[in-house]
Amino acid sequence: MLVLATLARGSAHGYALAEALRTASGGEFDVPEGSLYPALHRLERSGAITSEWVHDGRRRRVYAITAAGAAQLTRETGAWQRFADGVASTLAAPAIRPAVQGV
């Protein structure tokens, strides 16, 4: 979901994508290449993203989100929001009163 959300802001090569994730998360998501590239390959195989080789002084593979990836992002964002709302509600719930003994 985070990779798709980042690519929804614009196409990027792997290193730029990792840096964008790190920056946007305030350093919380420092994704190693060993995790990022397999995830990109899975997303590409599923049709959520595409890639192409570009030459801008260096040869780089640039990734972009597809319409299917945007739809997946919408679904996953909704599911995450429902989960986060459930966690927040649970944390904010009033304390459970202890059972009364001997009644």
Side-chain angles (χ1 to χ4, degrees):
M1 178 176 62
L2 297 176
V3 169
L4 291 175
T6 303
L7 288 174
R9 295 181 192 99
S11 302
H13 56 81
Y15 178 79
L17 182 57
E19 187 59 31
L21 284 165
R22 186 175 18 264
T23 300
S25 69
E28 289 298 316
F29 302 124
D30 189 7
V31 183
E33 288 182 21
S35 297
L36 180 60
Y37 287 103
L40 288 168
H41 295 150
R42 280 191 305 274
L43 287 167
E44 190 168 18
R45 279 193 307 273
S46 76
I49 64 173
T50 60
S51 69
E52 65 178 325
W53 287 105
V54 297
H55 303 276
D56 58 354
R58 297 176 69 178
R59 184 173 182 239
R60 299 176 184 194
R61 192 148 194 90
V62 174
Y63 300 89
I65 194 167
T66 63
Q72 179 179 337
L73 176 59
T74 298
R75 287 190 307 274
E76 289 182 7
T77 300
W80 174 257
Q81 191 58 59
R82 289 187 299 279
F83 175 80
D85 290 346
V87 170
S89 294
T90 301
L91 292 174
I96 298 173
R97 295 187 324 202
V100 178
Q101 296 290 328
V103 176

